[in-house]
């Protein structure tokens, strides 16, 4: 079951879309760079435009709802992040993580909040295609071997994830 959860997380992570806070341009290698929209301030200080182009703001916003004859399942994810280009093909970034889950199944009900943080290093392979190494620390309710949530306890766990994806401006 643990392998299925990890695979599902990586699959969702790989297809999540990252939004940029600035207008996007592509450099000579096809890597997305943000240019900012303050022409006058960047004209006064040319380094300001260069520094702004290295910063991206994005994240994950997810929602899922399932209804079935014996209950329902609701999940909401909010993972904002900020990244900095240390090299045209390498970005470092991170941010907070918050997830809300609610389920009722055969009369069993639970509500769970998961919070934590993450940091990552992303290497661009070709245009928006990237490989990523990520570390996370999460605080949540533990699950037992039958995937049942223990609401009486909280636990903090760290994990390292390897994966990839595609980054595009919205």
């Amino acid at each position: 079951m643990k392998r299925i959860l990890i695979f599902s997380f990586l699959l969702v992570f790989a297809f999540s879309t990252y939004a940029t806070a600035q207008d996007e341009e592509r450099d000579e290698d096809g890597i997305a760079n943000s240019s900012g929209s303050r022409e006058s301030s960047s004209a006064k200080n040319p380094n300001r435009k260069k520094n702004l182009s290295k910063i991206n703001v994005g994240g994950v916003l997810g929602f899922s709802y399932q209804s079935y004859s014996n209950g329902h399942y609701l999940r909401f994810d909010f993972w904002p992040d900020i990244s900095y280009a240390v090299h045209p093909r390498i970005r470092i970034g991170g941010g907070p993580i918050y997830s809300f889950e609610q389920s009722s199944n055969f009369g069993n009900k639970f509500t769970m909040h998961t919070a934590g943080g993450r940091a990552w290093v992303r290497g661009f392979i070709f245009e928006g295609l990237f490989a990523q190494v990520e570390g996370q620390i999460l605080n949540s309710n533990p699950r037992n071997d039958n995937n049942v949530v223990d609401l009486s306890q909280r636990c903090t766990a760290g994990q390292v994830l390897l994966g990839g994806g595609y980054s595009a401006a919205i």
Side-chain angles (χ1 to χ4, degrees):
M1 182 54 123
K2 200 181 249 187
R3 290 181 187 161
I4 292 171
L5 290 173
I6 291 171
F7 177 75
S8 298
F9 177 80
L10 289 175
L11 188 63
V12 168
F13 179 76
F15 290 105
S16 61
T17 304
Y18 287 83
T20 56
Q22 298 88 15
D23 297 329
E24 184 168 271
E25 294 177 352
R26 302 255 176 204
D27 65 11
E28 63 275 357
D29 294 322
I31 305 300
N33 284 321
S34 303
S35 64
S37 59
R38 298 181 184 160
E39 299 281 343
S40 60
S41 62
S42 61
K44 293 177 189 174
N45 184 356
N47 289 334
R48 179 174 171 83
K49 184 174 182 179
K50 184 177 180 181
N51 289 337
L52 280 177
S53 70
K54 293 183 175 189
I55 298 172
N56 276 358
V57 176
V60 175
L61 182 63
F63 176 78
S64 174
Y65 181 80
Q66 300 168 11
S67 179
Y68 38 90
S69 62
N70 299 321
H72 75 276
Y73 177 79
L74 170 72
R75 182 179 177 110
F76 173 75
D77 293 308
F78 180 63
W79 300 15
D81 68 19
I82 187 166
S83 68
Y84 182 77
V86 295
H87 182 273
R89 292 189 174 267
I90 299 173
R91 288 194 164 278
I92 58 171
I97 294 175
Y98 174 75
S99 294
F100 170 83
E101 289 181 75
Q102 186 179 56
S103 178
S104 67
N105 188 356
F106 297 104
N108 299 323
K109 296 180 180 182
F110 78 86
T111 299
M112 186 169 75
H113 302 271
T114 301
R118 66 190 191 130
W120 47 261
V121 176
R122 182 178 295 169
F124 285 88
I125 300 165
F126 177 74
E127 296 201 8
L129 187 65
F130 63 85
Q132 180 167 306
V133 176
E134 178 172 339
Q136 295 182 348
I137 297 178
L138 301 174
N139 181 277
S140 186
N141 300 96
R143 296 177 189 259
N144 66 18
D145 293 337
N146 297 324
N147 203 28
V148 175
V149 176
D150 182 359
L151 296 175
S152 66
Q153 297 182 34
R154 299 285 296 177
C155 69
T156 301
Q159 58 188 358
V160 175
L161 304 168
L162 303 173
Y166 186 81
S167 178
I170 295 179

